[in-house]
Amino acid sequence: MKRKIILMVFVLTTSLVYAQNNNSIKKILDNPGPYLNEIVQIKGIVVQYFNENTNTTAYYVIKDDFGGVIKVQTAHAGAPETNKKYNVKGYLNKINNEYVIQETSRELLEKPVPVVTSQPVTSSPAPSSTKDNTLLYVIAGIAGVLVIVLIIVFASKKSSAPAIPPSYQPGQTGPSTQPITMKSSAPKTIASQGFSTIRFESAPKTMKFIPGKFTITSQEDKGKMFQIAGFPSHGDAVVTIGREEVRGERSYAHIKLDDKFKTVSRKQAELVYSNHVLYVVNRSESNYTQVDGYELKPGEKREVKKGSLIRMGELEFKYDV
């Protein structure tokens, strides 16, 4: 299916480019600047021949298959035959405010052409017919639609990548330390299943984990590792920690501590990832949060580095990058 789509896009695009590139006289006269005083080549039918009562110079008018018309100045012996198709080369010049090709060579094409009535014409390019323009628009439209379909097909295949497991058991290899986007289209589920002392929910697929991982070093969950995503706040990613229940849009960025931890407050602390640095902010006025043995005062924050130990009451976990 994909190969057929690619082939159809290629054929239609090539046809469109071919049609545009062969509208040579109209192309030259629409934008003569790049061609002025340069050799150009055109193919068309001679519809009129005349001279200007001089011994060396004569003119003929040539019309191509797309309706473009231009005057050609010739000094060659012998007049071109009208109603015959020629391949003409020459320099594009502007004479008396009119663009004219000064012929350097002329080749009669053997392919028979229809008879064209000889009527007075000017060298101004005749507009393309409505039918020709409509055909080009249709081709361009079909090609555009097929390109969009192709992009959708590849995008859907890319988005079907397997999901990243949200939690890890002891002995398993931890996830990458780089921010990872959760790939899950299922509704929110509890991501911390298998944990006894903490609980948190799966992050939406559009959110990223805070870099690094946390390993619980105390209580029943000792040795278990987890990652968690932060809630966007003024350019930072924030995770709240405490015994309170958080529901709604922030629920995935909250670590719920077990109610048995009586020395942990409902609003105990926050993990704040800001400018590629992770901090712990103490939010409790009665139960202090410790980082590497240092007790944080209410509202005080401290940088968390690789190997740092974070302690809240009886619960302690280690941060690794």
Side-chain angles (χ1 to χ4, degrees), residues 191-219:
S192 52
Q193 290 181 354
F195 288 75
S196 301
T197 54
I198 65 171
R199 182 163 55 89
F200 54 91
E201 296 186 359
S202 298
K205 62 181 180 179
T206 57
M207 305 309 297
K208 295 181 179 180
F209 287 125
I210 290 176
K213 60 181 180 293
F214 301 91
T215 304
I216 299 177
T217 57
S218 66
Q219 301 295 316

Side-chain angles (χ1 to χ4, degrees), residues 221-281:
D221 292 323
K222 184 177 181 179
K224 294 182 181 180
M225 294 180 290
F226 66 94
Q227 278 190 300
I228 192 165
F231 187 83
S233 177
H234 304 290
D236 301 335
V238 180
V239 176
T240 56
I241 306 174
R243 289 190 294 109
E244 71 172 339
E245 287 279 355
V246 174
R247 301 187 182 278
E249 62 177 359
R250 290 179 175 269
S251 58
Y252 70 87
H254 177 69
I255 299 176
K256 168 71 169 68
L257 303 184
D258 194 273
D259 287 335
K260 70 180 179 180
F261 296 130
K262 301 303 181 182
T263 57
V264 175
S265 301
R266 295 182 70 255
K267 297 181 183 293
Q268 178 64 41
E270 291 178 350
L271 295 172
V272 179
Y273 185 66
S274 177
N275 294 323
H276 307 289
V277 179
L278 182 63
Y279 299 92
V280 169
V281 182

Side-chain angles (χ1 to χ4, degrees), residues 74-111:
T74 178
H76 288 196
E81 296 183 64
T82 56
N83 298 324
K84 292 295 180 71
K85 193 170 188 177
Y86 287 87
N87 183 22
V88 177
K89 291 184 180 180
Y91 288 93
L92 181 69
N93 286 315
K94 190 173 185 180
I95 302 174
N96 297 327
N97 292 322
E98 183 178 34
Y99 290 104
V100 176
I101 294 177
Q102 290 184 307
E103 181 190 77
T104 59
S105 67
R106 179 201 321 146
E107 177 188 2
L108 177 63
L109 300 177
E110 296 180 356
K111 184 178 178 180

